[in-house]
Amino acid sequence: MFDGIDDLTVEAVTAVFGTVDVVARGRAAAARCPDCNGFSNRVHDSCLRRLRDLPIGEFRVVILLTVRRFVRGSADCPRRTFAEPFAQFTTPCARSTSRLKRALERIGPALAGRAGSRLAVQLSFDAGRMTLLRRVMAFPDRCPARRPCWVWTISPPGADSRTPL
């Protein structure tokens, strides 16, 4: 049902007031340091992240994910602590899952702005117009000078009409 949830252990699922809360934590006993690729199983701390996911029917889904911070005891590694990675499921510091981001990236180019926001609310995604526009702007650069494709100047006759601002 959930992509990338293979790395997680689901501890509880509750449905209250139109929202499904999924309480989950990492399954691995150790994690790999992003700098030196060494493993660590010493847990320093943990924090709770609230991630929005695709809705199930009319219910909004919120995943309450416990993320552990590991201590890297090696003297040759510059990093002292690092967070448990969930690369398939979400990105660091994100407030939504990768599945929800992909769905919004499909709505954004088609409708963007207010129309896209209205469709997202109808689909129970609850994404505002600026969220959709940020997803469109986060696409890989397709135009020169890192400007959106719809920003072009009116150029004098004989010049290239697609010269960016």
Side-chain angles (χ1 to χ4, degrees), residues 27-44:
R27 184 179 299 207
R32 187 178 294 273
C33 176
D35 288 344
C36 68
N37 285 332
F39 277 100
S40 177
N41 61 355
R42 293 177 41 206
V43 177
H44 172 67

Side-chain angles (χ1 to χ4, degrees), residues 41 43 76 86 98 102-103 121 134 145:
N41 61 355
V43 177
D76 56 341
F86 297 104
S98 300
R102 283 192 302 268
V121 168
R134 277 192 298 273

Side-chain angles (χ1 to χ4, degrees), residues 9-45:
T9 299
V10 176
E11 296 177 339
V13 178
T14 58
V16 179
F17 301 116
T19 303
V20 174
D21 290 333
V22 179
V23 180
R25 62 178 173 80
R27 184 179 299 207
R32 187 178 294 273
C33 176
D35 288 344
C36 68
N37 285 332
F39 277 100
S40 177
N41 61 355
R42 293 177 41 206
V43 177
H44 172 67
D45 196 6

Side-chain angles (χ1 to χ4, degrees), residues 43-91:
V43 177
H44 172 67
D45 196 6
S46 64
C47 66
L48 187 67
R49 291 179 58 190
R50 293 178 56 89
L51 301 169
R52 293 183 312 145
D53 194 24
L54 290 175
I56 299 174
E58 298 273 328
F59 291 94
R60 292 180 181 93
V61 176
V62 176
I63 298 173
L64 304 168
L65 179 63
T66 301
V67 179
R68 297 174 291 179
R69 290 197 66 79
F70 289 94
V71 176
R72 184 71 184 124
S74 176
D76 56 341
C77 182
R79 188 180 293 251
R80 295 290 174 230
T81 64
F82 59 94
E84 185 174 16
F86 297 104
Q88 293 179 349
F89 193 62
T90 188
T91 57

Side-chain angles (χ1 to χ4, degrees), residues 99-119:
R99 293 176 351 132
L100 180 60
K101 286 181 186 178
R102 283 192 302 268
L104 293 177
E105 285 172 355
R106 291 183 181 113
I107 293 173
L111 297 173
R114 289 190 178 102
S117 176
R118 285 192 297 269
L119 177 63

